[in-house]
């Protein structure tokens, strides 16, 4: 099959073996996939991953032990878990000690013709969510995770730092629950999107950090973003860290101690919420599509997605 592989360098091949199915596995034919910052970080060494990249996808079920899934249009949760370790038993299966993660950790991903996942990972899509929207379910679920982790009631000063792919999803999710969110970003065209959604925004160059924000959600994907978040958050405020980056820049964490700041790491989130929000047209994801390219152009597509200011690049397997 066709696949976009990373093994020290990025390469497209049309001769990758099709995935063999283990017991309980479902085979999905990929229709479309999205490139995210995590894919780009992997090519810089994040997680030490080797294999087929990609974890944001929509496809159709070709083979499954669960007959109800056959021919259904699906999206998939990316953590494949054991169900037996202490964390799984405690209901924290997304942190399973024995997990593999689609296209990120010990499991081939979705930039390919086919992918295999356990049936329990799959969610059938309603007709009201089209394939363009569906590739955003995974990152949108990650945006909804912020609501699961912090209480926003009465928090008046909430900033999303970063106007990239994830930042613009997090800002829309926060706004959808009535939070008075503000986006800080670098790109006029993205801040214009915020205006279209009636979300307040400010250019990064205009920001004078004053230690006055109740909550700062760092979606910058860079260590500098976290440093700025520490300067913006108020004493006893909260930083939600959404960025994953490969760089190991030394950071001075003393401000967290002095200001008694709470830092919350935040990763995967609830798929059902994301699918519902897309079905109800609560979140605009289509405006985030920068370009569609074919799987064969995968290397070029990754280079494009890495350019500053570029939003979502989609890979089509048609
Ligand atoms: Zn992602
Ligand atoms: Zn487990």
């Amino acid at each position: 099959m066709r696949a976009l592989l990373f093994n020290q360098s990025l390469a497209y091949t049309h001769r990758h073996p099709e995935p063999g199915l283990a017991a309980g596995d479902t085979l999905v034919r990929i229709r479309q996939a999205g490139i995210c910052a995590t894919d780009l970080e992997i090519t810089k060494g994040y997680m030490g991953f080797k294999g087929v990249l990609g974890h944001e996808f929509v496809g159709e079920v070709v083979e499954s032990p669960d007959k109800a899934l056959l021919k259904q249009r699906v999206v998939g949760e990316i953590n494949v878990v054991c169900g037996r370790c202490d964390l799984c038993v405690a209901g924290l299966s997304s942190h399973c000690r024995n997990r593999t993660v689609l296209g990120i950790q010990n499991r081939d991903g979705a930039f390919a013709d086919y992918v295999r996942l356990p049936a329990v990972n799959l969610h059938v899509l309603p007709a009201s969510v089209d394939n363009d929207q569906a590739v955003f379910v995974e990152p949108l679920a990650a945006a909804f995770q912020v609501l699961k982790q912090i209480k926003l009631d009465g928090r008046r000063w909430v900033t999303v730092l970063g106007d990239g792919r994830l930042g613009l999803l997090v800002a829309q999710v926060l706004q959808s629950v009535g939070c008075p969110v503000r986006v800080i970003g670098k790109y006029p065209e993205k801040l214009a999107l915020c205006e279209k959604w009636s979300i307040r925004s400010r250019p990064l160059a205009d920001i004078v950090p004053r230690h006055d924000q109740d909550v700062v959600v760092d979606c910058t994907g860079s260590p500098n973003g976290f440093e700025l978040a520490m300067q913006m958050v108020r004493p006893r405020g909260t930083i939600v860290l959404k960025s994953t980056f490969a760089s190991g820049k030394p950071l001075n964490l003393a401000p967290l101690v002095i200001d008694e700041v709470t830092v919350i790491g935040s990763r995967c989130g609830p798929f059902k919420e994301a699918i519902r929000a897309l079905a109800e047209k609560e979140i605009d994801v289509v405006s985030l599509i920068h370009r569609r390219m074919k799987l064969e152009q995968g290397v070029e597509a990754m280079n494009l997605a890495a350019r500053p200011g570029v939003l979502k690049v989609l890979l089509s397997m048609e």
Side-chain angles (χ1 to χ4, degrees):
M1 66 171 183
R2 299 174 296 170
L4 188 66
L5 291 161
F6 180 73
N7 187 355
Q8 280 153 14
S9 67
L10 190 63
Y12 167 79
T13 172
H14 57 275
R15 289 168 182 233
H16 195 67
E18 280 182 25
L21 293 194
D25 272 353
T26 290
L27 188 68
V28 177
R29 187 190 168 95
I30 308 291
R31 290 297 178 195
Q32 194 164 239
I35 297 175
C36 109
T38 306
D39 303 311
L40 300 169
E41 287 297 312
I42 285 171
T43 65
K44 297 181 209 156
Y46 174 68
M47 298 297 291
F49 177 76
K50 288 187 182 74
V52 180
L53 285 174
H55 56 274
E56 302 175 0
F57 72 91
V58 56
E60 280 140 25
V61 173
V62 183
E63 256 179 81
S64 177
D66 179 352
K67 297 300 166 219
L69 279 175
L70 287 175
K71 296 188 178 163
Q72 297 283 355
R73 211 161 50 93
V74 294
V75 290
E77 301 205 29
I78 69 176
N79 297 292
V80 178
V81 304
C82 75
R84 293 182 306 272
C85 71
D86 56 331
L87 291 169
C88 282
V89 170
L92 295 172
S93 62
S94 65
H95 295 278
C96 170
R97 294 191 197 277
N98 307 309
R99 73 181 182 273
T100 58
V101 186
L102 192 67
I104 296 173
Q105 194 179 332
N106 293 328
R107 171 170 287 263
D108 274 345
F111 295 164
D113 283 311
Y114 296 97
V115 78
R116 70 181 179 94
L117 272 175
V120 293
N121 281 56
L122 300 174
H123 294 257
V124 175
L125 292 164
S128 50
V129 175
D130 66 21
N131 283 356
D132 278 353
Q133 292 173 295
V135 288
F136 287 91
V137 169
E138 197 277 334
L140 183 58
F144 269 103
Q145 181 71 357
V146 176
L147 298 184
K148 294 243 180 281
Q149 293 178 291
I150 54 169
K151 276 216 166 16
L152 286 164
D153 326 335
R155 309 258 196 145
R156 291 178 52 223
W157 304 104
V158 178
T159 289
V160 169
L161 209 50
D163 55 3
R165 296 167 271 257
L166 189 56
L168 294 178
L169 291 176
V170 170
Q172 289 189 73
V173 165
L174 293 178
Q175 193 208 33
S176 75
V177 294
C179 169
V181 63
R182 174 185 70 154
V183 173
I184 308 292
K186 283 185 189 167
Y187 300 96
E189 63 281 12
K190 298 188 193 176
L191 300 181
L193 276 177
C194 292
E195 192 171 328
K196 174 171 145 188
W197 301 325
S198 306
I199 293 173
R200 288 182 302 140
S201 69
R202 289 284 295 279
L204 178 63
D206 291 2
I207 293 302
V208 182
R210 293 182 207 280
H211 292 280
D212 60 359
Q213 297 296 299
D214 295 320
V215 178
V216 180
V217 186
D218 175 21
C219 301
T220 58
S222 86
N224 300 339
F226 188 67
E227 274 177 343
L228 181 57
M230 286 193 284
Q231 293 163 18
M232 292 182 71
V233 72
R234 68 162 163 82
R236 297 261 173 105
T238 302
I239 297 175
V240 181
L241 189 56
K242 272 285 180 196
S243 297
T244 50
F245 37 79
S247 144
K249 177 183 174 181
L251 283 169
N252 174 15
L253 300 179
L256 300 179
V257 178
I258 294 161
D259 288 339
E260 301 187 317
V261 170
T262 302
V263 179
I264 299 176
S266 179
R267 183 168 48 100
C268 297
F271 267 50
K272 284 202 166 70
E273 274 295 286
I275 293 170
R276 180 205 55 76
L278 290 171
E280 292 172 12
K281 314 287 179 242
E282 224 169 64
I283 310 284
D284 170 21
V285 291
V286 174
S287 298
L288 301 182
I289 299 174
H290 180 87
R291 195 180 300 171
R292 296 155 205 279
M293 296 172 83
K294 292 193 186 308
L295 181 57
E296 287 84 344
Q297 302 167 288
V299 174
E300 198 188 318
M302 288 278 289
N303 290 336
L304 175 64
R307 269 194 229 153
V310 169
L311 286 172
K312 195 60 104 185
V313 178
L314 299 183
L315 288 175
S316 162
M317 285 66 176
E318 302 294 330

